Amino acid sequence: MGFALIANKICLLCVIVLLPALCTSQDTFTCSRATYYGRPDCYGTPSGACGFGEFGRTVNDGYVSGVSWLYRNGAGCGACYQVRCITPQYCTDEGVNVVVTDYGEGDRTDFILSPRAYASLARPDVDVDLFAHGVIDVEYRRVSCQYSDYEYLMFKVHEHSRNPHYLALVMIYVAGQNDITAVELWQEDCEEWKAMRRAYGAVWDMANPPSGPINLRFQVCGSAGETWVQSRNPLPADWKAGSAYDTGIQLT
């Protein structure tokens, strides 16, 4: 019992001391707990709090997670983490890399993993034993997101958008260890940048957006601090709800 008490105190100290800053990379592991949610297909959910829709179900081949405080009011949507459990008889040393697509709270957990991600924590042939635990002790760290098929930052026009009266954008394929913390549109008649509102999660919106092709810029928060980057490709005047557009911006 004394050893368990010491271990719990060490883990608590780990959490307190190593909480990641919003705009810095995290090289060390932080102690936490993880569980999983049930879906018959073992992938993510299209109704996650980040607003990713179908993208949130299949991104990273379904290795996704809901998070609690790491959600950060939606700024944490799309962030990638390496999660590994600390039960050697059941778990691999590498763990699994997951993409944040949802918000969720469990029994003192920071991660609620998709079944595919949770199963990948386990050593061969012992995943059933791991699932039987339900909630497990883990350690995690922020890692770079990498999308081999997508070179540039992209955004999708949310299905609720209605040209020309309402525009909502969903940030997708945010590579590296970067967060999108602000989005602005160029208002040509006023000759100034107008801020979009973070509606929720990774969704940014604006009523009565500018007409014609729309120039956008994004505030990117990463290991080098915050910086503004402008899309090389304007949103076309005939933008359509449900369509995805390439910014031409490479984030690393």
Side-chain angles (χ1 to χ4, degrees):
M1 181 176 295
F3 176 80
L5 181 59
I6 292 172
N8 286 339
K9 288 183 177 179
I10 292 174
C11 203
L12 178 61
L13 180 62
C14 178
V15 172
I16 294 173
V17 173
L18 299 177
L19 290 179
L22 290 181
C23 293
T24 58
S25 62
Q26 184 181 0
D27 297 323
T28 53
F29 282 91
T30 299
C31 300
S32 185
R33 284 156 59 87
T35 186
Y36 64 94
Y37 58 86
R39 276 191 61 86
D41 60 5
C42 295
Y43 282 82
T45 171
S47 57
C50 289
F52 287 140
E54 190 65 18
F55 172 83
R57 192 180 77 83
T58 59
V59 64
N60 198 36
D61 200 24
Y63 295 97
V64 298
S65 180
V67 293
S68 53
W69 75 272
L70 292 170
Y71 182 76
R72 292 184 280 119
N73 267 344
C77 289
C80 295
Y81 292 91
Q82 179 187 3
V83 182
R84 62 189 189 189
C85 61
I86 49 180
T87 311
Q89 64 266 38
Y90 295 124
C91 300
T92 66
D93 294 333
E94 297 80 14
V96 63
N97 287 1
V98 296
V99 179
V100 174
T101 59
D102 201 357
Y103 174 86
E105 295 183 10
D107 180 12
R108 294 178 289 118
T109 59
D110 283 323
F111 293 89
I112 303 181
L113 302 169
S114 67
R116 286 174 68 86
Y118 194 85
S120 293
L121 295 172
R123 294 183 181 276
D125 302 322
V126 296
D127 55 319
V128 173
D129 298 312
L130 192 64
F131 274 100
H133 277 68
V135 179
I136 55 174
D137 293 322
V138 298
E139 56 184 11
Y140 69 91
R141 65 178 176 181
R142 180 85 181 260
V143 295
S144 292
C145 295
Q146 298 179 342
Y147 301 103
S148 57
D149 296 333
Y150 296 91
E151 185 178 358
Y152 303 110
L153 170 68
M154 298 181 68
F155 59 84
K156 176 185 173 184
V157 178
H158 196 278
E159 286 80 359
H160 291 166
S161 298
R162 294 293 179 267
N163 195 348
H165 305 294
Y166 174 73
L167 174 63
L169 305 177
V170 188
M171 301 297 111
I172 57 178
Y173 298 116
V174 182
Q177 295 189 35
N178 297 294
D179 301 326
I180 303 299
T181 53
V183 181
E184 294 184 344
L185 308 181
W186 178 250
Q187 188 86 37
E188 186 65 38
D189 54 352
C190 301
E191 295 189 344
E192 64 178 351
W193 291 100
K194 293 285 189 179
M196 299 188 78
R197 176 186 68 122
R198 186 191 289 276
Y200 65 95
V203 181
W204 301 81
D205 71 353
M206 175 182 284
N208 301 313
S211 58
I214 301 175
N215 289 311
L216 301 100
R217 69 176 185 176
F218 311 93
Q219 188 176 61
V220 179
C221 177
S223 58
E226 286 187 338
T227 185
W228 285 95
V229 292
Q230 184 171 339
S231 175
R232 297 178 182 177
N233 304 318
L235 179 65
D238 61 346
W239 53 263
K240 294 177 174 58
S243 295
Y245 297 90
D246 182 339
T247 66
I249 300 170
Q250 287 182 303
L251 298 178
T252 58

